[in-house]
Amino acid sequence: MFAGSPALNQPGPTEFVFHVFTAVPEFQVLLFLLFLLLYLMILCGNTAIIWVRAHSSLRTTMYFFLSYLSFVEIVYTTVVVLLMLSNILGAQKPIPLAGCGAQMFFFVTLGSTDCFLLAVMAYVRYVAICHPLHYTLVMTQKLCVQMVVCAVSLAPFLSLQLTSLILTLPFCGHRREINHFLCDVPPVLRLACADIRVHQAVLYVVGIVVLTVPFLLICVSYVFITCAILRIRSAEGRRRAFTCSSHLTVVLLHYFHCTLVYLRPQSSSSQDEDLQFALIYTFVTPLINPLIYTLRNKDVKGALIKSISSKGTGEAL
């Protein structure tokens, strides 16, 4: 039905342009500075965690996974921000289909890895709090490495299947505007000039594997963790409860908005809502997570201050 469409038969390779937040120059500058500031805060917060893990005695299993999570979130945000900032201030710069596919692949891969690591970290918390005497026997270095390898292997496999399938779709016209700030799956699917029911079904399957299954594992882990913490009647128990509740809040925020974007039916979803939700799991959760483990964690703060002070003393000598 699309073969005779003039828009579909336009010559030239398919290109996309991103929706500009605003055309008012003053607002463009404010948005540019705001997102740049958020990106720098994400970069500094997550880099601090990696630095502490590498230059201090905090080499426990939790910080092993947290350092990997911080690295993933740095790259995850960078994949989006650099192109986003260039489009806010400048004119609408077209991105070819291959470039859009590359950004989509890395974004889905890193986002999926993020979800898997959050589930793994919830399991680590469960073992540490509910079975402290068996913690060192269960959470061996070999098991930790295997879980990281599984996370970083499964994520690109799923992302490649989804991205390659979407890139085979025909798109009406030579240049299309994406009502988003990145080449995410739902807004690109809306621009296709073909039946996307199969692609939508694949997206749901990937979404269930990436979002629903890890989320259920996190919920089960925190149910057992909560029961164990309620039996601890001490200041240490309250501290653990606060830390766990803070981390669980970030996890719920991340999974809730991702689910609304990727698992909600297209007919009931709004492009503007998807854009707002994407801002939350692209900027807010990567920013809040390191704050919980730095500003709210005296061990991390102490190790960071000690590392900086020792480095400064060494340079002075």
Side-chain angles (χ1 to χ4, degrees):
M1 62 180 291
F2 297 104
S5 171
L8 184 60
N9 294 326
Q10 286 184 8
T14 301
E15 293 180 335
F16 300 97
V17 290
F18 296 110
H19 175 75
V20 179
F21 288 96
T22 177
V24 181
E26 292 78 8
F27 289 157
Q28 288 179 342
V29 173
L30 290 176
L31 285 174
F32 178 88
L33 295 176
L34 173 62
F35 289 124
L36 178 61
L37 177 62
L38 290 175
Y39 174 64
L40 293 177
M41 292 173 65
I42 292 171
L43 190 64
C44 292
N46 287 284
T47 302
I49 292 177
I50 298 174
W51 173 270
V52 168
R53 173 65 174 76
H55 296 84
S56 73
S57 58
L58 293 179
R59 298 183 178 274
T60 62
T61 303
M62 178 58 70
Y63 292 106
F64 170 79
F65 289 110
L66 185 59
S67 61
Y68 275 99
L69 179 67
S70 296
F71 174 76
V72 169
E73 290 190 332
I74 289 174
V75 184
Y76 171 74
T77 309
T78 302
V79 167
V80 176
V81 170
L82 297 183
L83 186 59
M84 176 184 177
L85 292 178
S86 66
N87 279 281
I88 289 178
L89 282 184
Q92 288 183 314
K93 300 177 182 178
I95 179 173
L97 180 62
C100 184
Q103 188 187 48
M104 182 187 299
F105 170 76
F106 285 110
F107 181 76
V108 175
T109 296
L110 295 166
S112 301
T113 305
D114 201 349
C115 292
F116 293 146
L117 289 177
L118 287 173
V120 169
M121 290 172 65
Y123 173 73
V124 174
R125 282 176 173 269
Y126 158 75
V127 177
I129 295 176
C130 298
H131 303 283
L133 298 180
H134 299 90
Y135 182 79
T136 55
L137 297 177
V138 176
M139 299 309 303
T140 62
Q141 183 177 3
K142 180 180 179 181
L143 179 61
C144 295
V145 173
Q146 288 175 342
M147 288 192 289
V148 170
V149 170
C150 288
V152 300
S153 300
L154 180 59
F157 172 77
L158 294 173
S159 178
L160 182 62
Q161 308 306 311
L162 182 61
T163 305
S164 59
L165 186 63
I166 291 175
L167 292 183
T168 60
L169 283 169
F171 295 94
C172 301
H174 165 56
R175 181 173 297 180
R176 302 299 307 276
E177 182 179 83
I178 301 177
N179 188 24
H180 214 287
F181 56 87
L182 77 150
C183 285
D184 203 359
V185 177
V188 173
L189 277 178
R190 291 190 179 96
L191 301 179
C193 294
D195 188 353
I196 61 171
R197 284 178 293 182
V198 174
H199 305 76
Q200 194 69 52
V202 173
L203 175 61
Y204 287 149
V205 172
V206 173
I208 290 173
V209 174
V210 173
L211 295 172
T212 306
V213 175
F215 179 70
L216 291 177
L217 293 175
I218 291 173
C219 290
V220 172
S221 297
Y222 272 100
V223 167
F224 286 105
I225 289 172
T226 302
C227 293
I229 288 176
L230 291 176
R231 293 194 294 266
I232 303 176
R233 301 179 182 275
S234 63
E236 175 66 17
R238 290 191 295 270
R239 187 184 71 84
R240 286 187 177 186
F242 176 79
T243 304
C244 289
S245 62
S246 300
H247 183 256
L248 182 59
T249 300
V250 177
V251 170
L252 292 175
L253 187 70
H254 178 81
Y255 279 94
F256 175 74
H257 289 95
C258 287
T259 300
L260 287 178
V261 172
Y262 295 103
L263 295 181
R264 188 172 55 169
Q266 288 280 351
S267 57
S268 63
S269 63
S270 166
Q271 296 187 51
D272 292 334
E273 288 181 350
D274 288 353
L275 189 148
Q276 294 168 10
F277 294 152
L279 286 173
I280 293 176
Y281 59 73
T282 304
F283 288 94
V284 177
T285 53
L287 176 62
I288 296 178
N289 208 38
L291 293 179
I292 291 176
Y293 286 98
T294 53
L295 297 180
R296 295 290 189 180
N297 191 310
K298 63 179 182 180
D299 294 332
V300 176
K301 286 192 293 184
L304 182 61
I305 294 172
K306 184 177 179 180
S307 298
I308 296 175
S309 60
S310 62
K311 186 175 185 298
T313 305
E315 292 178 349
L317 294 176

